[in-house]
């Protein structure tokens, strides 16, 4: 077996193991699942939740949205270059083609991300409109609000889908690496990233009131996404095919938009509504963001 393939397979197994372990800690350990925690226990859980919110904020801005912007712009640039080549052959500059200049100047990547944001916004609005008994605030002081189904599970599902798609693309990026050093460096960055994200996702599933069997299902699928993406990338690299493509970049952009919605309108407001000291909450949110920003140096 080639050394590069050995490195990739080892990374695949490590990703699956680390993600499962980190995700199952808050999802299965009862200490994280006490809804009526009081005193010091409640404060610690609140601060862990704020740290997780900072992790999601960092993952949203430094990883998901950043990757989507780069990939969409890159793929559109390839398409526009293909359009420009015949013009260059005929000695026609881009400035003489108004439609091409307009395409180059328009923020298509930002538009795709915005569409993902409004897609979740519309979906949740339709759910609340069709089910008026659903409360607009899923929790009050950490206790589920009785009297109707909570939208927390829906939001957890959207978060799970978004992170799973991003994990698939991360694994794909590792799988198509052509050098051992590059594959190992990127895999270590993804391992650190996935470990923290998996823990935060498990904690969010607990806080949203998702049932235990669904938590296990979500975390199991989430853990498989990066290895699946890596396996696809390995297959593409061995066959000589080109990975990525405009369609995948667009899907990643929509996923980034959904992540923006969940992060800024669901997770952060929920954590900031607790009764803990504001500066303490800020410190833990900033700490979570700093972790993800530091990982972005290598990822």
């Amino acid at each position: 077996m080639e050394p590069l393939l050995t490195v990739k397979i080892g990374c695949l197994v490590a990703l699956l193991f680390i993600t499962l372990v980190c995700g199952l800690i808050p999802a299965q350990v009862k200490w994280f699942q006490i809804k009526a925690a009081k005193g010091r226990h409640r404060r610690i859980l609140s601060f862990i939740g704020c740290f997780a919110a900072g992790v999601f904020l960092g993952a949203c801005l430094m990883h998901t949205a950043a990757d989507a912007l780069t990939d969409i712009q890159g793929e559109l640039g390839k398409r526009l270059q293909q359009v420009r080549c015949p013009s260059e052959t005929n000695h026609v500059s881009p400035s003489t083609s108004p439609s091409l200049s307009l395409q180059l100047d328009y923020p298509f990547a930002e538009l795709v991300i915005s569409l993902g944001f409004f897609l979740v916004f519309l979906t949740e609005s339709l759910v609340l409109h069709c089910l008026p008994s659903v409360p607009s605030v899923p929790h009050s002081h950490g206790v589920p609000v009785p009297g109707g189904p909570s939208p927390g599970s829906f939001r957890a599902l959207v978060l799970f889908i978004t992170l799973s798609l991003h994990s698939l693309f991360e694994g794909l990026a590792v799988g198509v690496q052509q050098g051992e050093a590059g594959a190992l460096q990127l895999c270590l960055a993804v391992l650190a990233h996935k470990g923290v994200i998996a823990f935060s996702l498990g904690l969010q599933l607990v806080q949203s009131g998702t049932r235990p069997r669904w938590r296990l299902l979500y975390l199991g699928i989430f853990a498989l996404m990066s290895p699946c993406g890596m396996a696809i990338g390995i297959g593409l690299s061995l066959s000589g095919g080109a990975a990525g493509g405009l369609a995948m970049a667009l899907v990643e952009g929509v996923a980034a938009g959904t992540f923006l919605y969940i992060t800024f309108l669901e997770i952060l407001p929920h954590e900031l509504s607790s009764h803990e000291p504001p500066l303490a909450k800020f410190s833990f949110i900033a700490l979570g963001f700093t972790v993800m920003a530091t990982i972005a140096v290598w990822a």
Side-chain angles (χ1 to χ4, degrees):
M1 185 180 295
E2 296 182 1
L4 177 59
L5 184 58
T6 303
V7 170
K8 290 181 179 180
I9 293 177
C11 293
L12 187 151
V13 175
L15 271 174
L16 179 61
F17 177 76
I18 292 294
T19 306
L20 274 176
V21 171
C22 293
L24 289 175
I25 289 175
Q28 295 300 110
V29 177
K30 292 183 178 179
W31 190 87
F32 291 96
Q33 303 174 23
I34 300 177
K35 297 292 185 181
K38 298 180 180 179
R40 184 179 180 182
H41 190 179
R42 178 179 61 82
R43 288 194 298 272
I44 294 176
L45 287 178
S46 176
F47 292 150
I48 293 176
C50 289
F51 173 81
V55 167
F56 286 127
L57 178 62
C60 177
L61 296 178
M62 304 298 295
H63 295 268
T64 310
D67 291 347
L69 287 170
T70 302
D71 292 344
I72 294 174
Q73 290 297 111
E75 290 297 327
L76 288 177
K78 293 178 184 178
R79 303 304 189 276
L80 293 174
Q81 185 65 29
Q82 294 173 357
V83 174
R84 182 186 298 178
C85 285
S87 300
E88 291 178 344
T89 303
N90 297 326
H91 304 287
V92 178
S93 63
S95 59
T96 62
S97 177
S99 60
L100 184 57
S101 299
L102 178 62
Q103 287 178 320
L104 288 171
D105 293 337
Y106 192 80
F108 283 107
E110 288 81 355
L111 176 63
V112 173
I113 294 175
S114 301
L115 290 176
F117 179 94
F118 281 103
L119 176 63
V120 183
F121 195 179
L122 174 62
T123 303
E124 184 164 330
S125 299
L126 289 173
V127 170
L128 294 174
H129 176 75
C130 297
L131 299 173
S133 60
V134 175
S136 59
V137 180
H139 293 84
S140 178
H141 308 297
V143 180
V145 177
S150 170
S153 297
F154 167 76
R155 294 162 182 167
L157 175 62
V158 174
L159 180 64
F160 153 73
I161 294 175
T162 300
L163 292 176
S164 296
L165 286 173
H166 185 61
S167 297
L168 181 69
F169 297 132
E170 283 182 332
L172 184 63
V174 177
V176 298
Q177 291 295 310
Q178 299 299 318
E180 297 173 31
L184 185 59
Q185 181 181 10
L186 184 57
C187 181
L188 291 176
V190 172
L191 277 173
H193 172 264
K194 283 295 293 293
V196 180
I197 284 290
F199 180 89
S200 301
L201 175 61
L203 186 65
Q204 185 65 28
L205 291 174
V206 171
Q207 292 181 344
S208 66
T210 306
R211 294 180 179 180
R213 60 182 177 181
W214 287 106
R215 290 202 300 261
L216 292 176
L217 179 63
Y218 288 168
L219 290 170
I221 296 176
F222 175 68
L224 287 171
M225 295 306 286
S226 281
C228 286
M230 192 179 298
I232 295 172
I234 292 174
L236 290 172
S237 63
L238 292 177
S239 64
L246 182 58
M248 293 181 62
L250 293 176
V251 171
E252 189 173 14
V254 173
T258 63
F259 202 7
L260 281 172
Y261 181 89
I262 294 296
T263 300
F264 285 97
L265 296 186
E266 304 294 347
I267 296 174
L268 283 173
H270 172 68
E271 298 302 335
L272 292 174
S273 65
S274 66
H275 296 291
E276 308 308 323
L279 284 179
K281 290 187 289 187
F282 167 81
S283 299
F284 280 94
I285 292 175
L287 178 61
F289 179 88
T290 301
V291 170
M292 301 311 294
T294 303
I295 293 174
V297 174
W298 300 279

